[in-house]
Amino acid sequence: MKHINIVNGPQSVSTIVQGCMRIPGLSNENAAKVIRTAYDCGINFYDHATCYGKDGAAETKFGEAFSLTGLKREDIYIQGKCGIYPDRGEFDWSKEAILSSVDGSLKRLKVDYLDTLLLHRPDLLFDPEEVAEAFDELEQAGKVRYFGVSNLVPMQIELLKKYVKQPIIINQVQLSLEQSQLIDQALYMNNKTTDMSLSRDGNVLDYCRLKDITIQAWSPLQVGMFGGTFVDNPDFPELNKKLGELADRENVSKAAIAVAWILRHPAKMQAIVGTMNPEHIKDICAAADVTLSHHDWYELYLSAGKFLP
Ligand SMILES: NC(=O)c1ccc[n+]([C@@H]2O[C@H](COP(=O)([O-])OP(=O)(O)OC[C@H]3O[C@@H](n4cnc5c(N)ncnc54)[C@H](OP(=O)(O)O)[C@@H]3O)[C@@H](O)[C@H]2O)c1
């Protein structure tokens, strides 16, 4: 496993992160096996959100299962996310919502602090001064060590930064071979023949690199948000052919090559994987030891339906 230092944030974090969105359905024993397998493969970073499962079910499951793993709290980094309220049908970054959300997460996870807290999706009514007050209180109380965001465009981060004292160290965004708008827009700039030239995120990739904000790529194997994985999916024959060739060459799985494609990007991203299958976790962690060439990276990108302008 490779590790990176997050600028102004936690040090020596694994480049592959275990996402916990899919953990609620597991038994405590199986959840403990997922957490422990990931750790034994070198993963030391676990991603949560209050909205993963009903009423914080992912956090509750993790909290119950963790005691069965033999691990100590300080062995791992735990990331929480707040702001999404599916039952209420809204996003809420008010001070009160942020503070009570973190208290709920700590209780369910059975921990005293979160290593990182991300604002999950933009509350269209957010007041950056209120967010700043909430972050100050959480930091002073020792409940959160570092702060970041998810799915945020550059100008919203700038607006937050005008008031928030703590560095914004992470932006968690969707990126996969299939869902690669983060990258596409730069390649096709000014090209009216394709929608891929559209900047849908205000060039957030370059912005984050300029501002030393680590990109965390969520759902690295998914088609869209709920389309299932593209790995071994007959709708993606060219991509699977290329993934298969490189997987054979490197003696790893196709899923590992898809994750290695993200880790090959010089922005030094983390990839957040969501499998709950311990064998898949082991397979995928091999990605961190694969270094794709410049040419491999382009071949994979083009096999996913892109073209050179
Ligand atoms: N910030 C945000 O807005 C946001 C949104 C969504 C997700 N996330 C984060 O991203 C994490 C990952 O999301 P995700 O679960 O959609 O990611 P993913 O790793 O792209 O997809 C995982 C899914 O792919 C399946 N899969 C099929 N074949 C696989 C193989 N060979 N190896 C590995 N997995 C395979 C897994 O099934 P098996 O379990 O059977 O392996 C699982 O259902 C979440 O847990 C969450 O932490 C963040």
Side-chain angles (χ1 to χ4, degrees), residues 19 21-22 47 52 150-151 172 219 221-222 274-276 280:
M21 181 175 73
R22 299 177 193 269
D47 181 63
Y52 294 161
S150 174
N151 306 306
Q172 187 178 118
S219 293
L221 306 178
Q222 294 297 300
T275 178
M276 290 290 123
H280 283 168

Side-chain angles (χ1 to χ4, degrees), residues 6 47 125 127 139 164 167 172 178 186-187 204 222 228 241:
I6 295 186
D47 181 63
L125 301 178
D127 173 350
E139 186 180 52
V164 166
Q172 187 178 118
E178 198 275 331
L187 180 64
V204 76
Q222 294 297 300
K241 185 162 169 278

Side-chain angles (χ1 to χ4, degrees), residues 183-192 194 196-198 309:
I183 287 168
D184 303 338
Q185 59 203 13
L187 180 64
Y188 300 107
M189 70 81 69
N190 204 17
N191 182 335
K192 68 177 184 181
T194 171
M196 290 191 280
S197 62
L198 299 177

Side-chain angles (χ1 to χ4, degrees), residues 165-223:
K165 288 204 295 282
Q166 299 79 6
I168 301 294
I169 62 165
I170 288 164
N171 192 10
Q172 187 178 118
V173 298
Q174 187 169 19
L175 175 64
S176 70
L177 271 159
E178 198 275 331
Q179 192 83 25
S180 57
Q181 297 91 322
L182 197 71
I183 287 168
D184 303 338
Q185 59 203 13
L187 180 64
Y188 300 107
M189 70 81 69
N190 204 17
N191 182 335
K192 68 177 184 181
T193 66
T194 171
D195 266 5
M196 290 191 280
S197 62
L198 299 177
S199 173
R200 293 186 159 89
D201 60 26
N203 292 0
V204 76
L205 173 60
D206 295 329
Y207 168 83
C208 288
R209 295 180 77 183
L210 282 165
K211 300 288 180 179
D212 288 327
I213 295 173
T214 294
I215 294 268
Q216 293 181 337
W218 59 263
S219 293
L221 306 178
Q222 294 297 300
V223 179

Side-chain angles (χ1 to χ4, degrees), residues 23 54 62-63 66 88 100 124 205 213 245 260 265 287-288 296:
I23 210 170
K54 194 164 168 40
F62 192 94
F66 190 71
R88 282 164 42 191
S100 69
L124 300 175
L205 173 60
I213 295 173
E245 279 170 28
H265 195 281
D296 296 336

Side-chain angles (χ1 to χ4, degrees), residues 18-22 47-48 52 81 84 118 120-121 150-151 172-173 217-222 225 228-229 231-232 253-256 272-277 280-281 283-284:
Q18 180 65 56
C20 296
M21 181 175 73
R22 299 177 193 269
D47 181 63
H48 277 278
Y52 294 161
K81 296 199 284 303
I84 295 187
L118 311 186
H120 200 160
R121 278 192 182 276
S150 174
N151 306 306
Q172 187 178 118
V173 298
W218 59 263
S219 293
L221 306 178
Q222 294 297 300
M225 273 180 92
T229 176
V231 175
D232 292 330
S253 67
K254 288 189 198 174
I272 311 187
V273 303
T275 178
M276 290 290 123
N277 176 333
H280 283 168
I281 295 173
D283 279 355
I284 274 200

Side-chain angles (χ1 to χ4, degrees), residues 50-62:
T50 49
C51 64
Y52 294 161
K54 194 164 168 40
D55 300 327
E59 295 171 326
T60 303
K61 179 63 63 182
F62 192 94

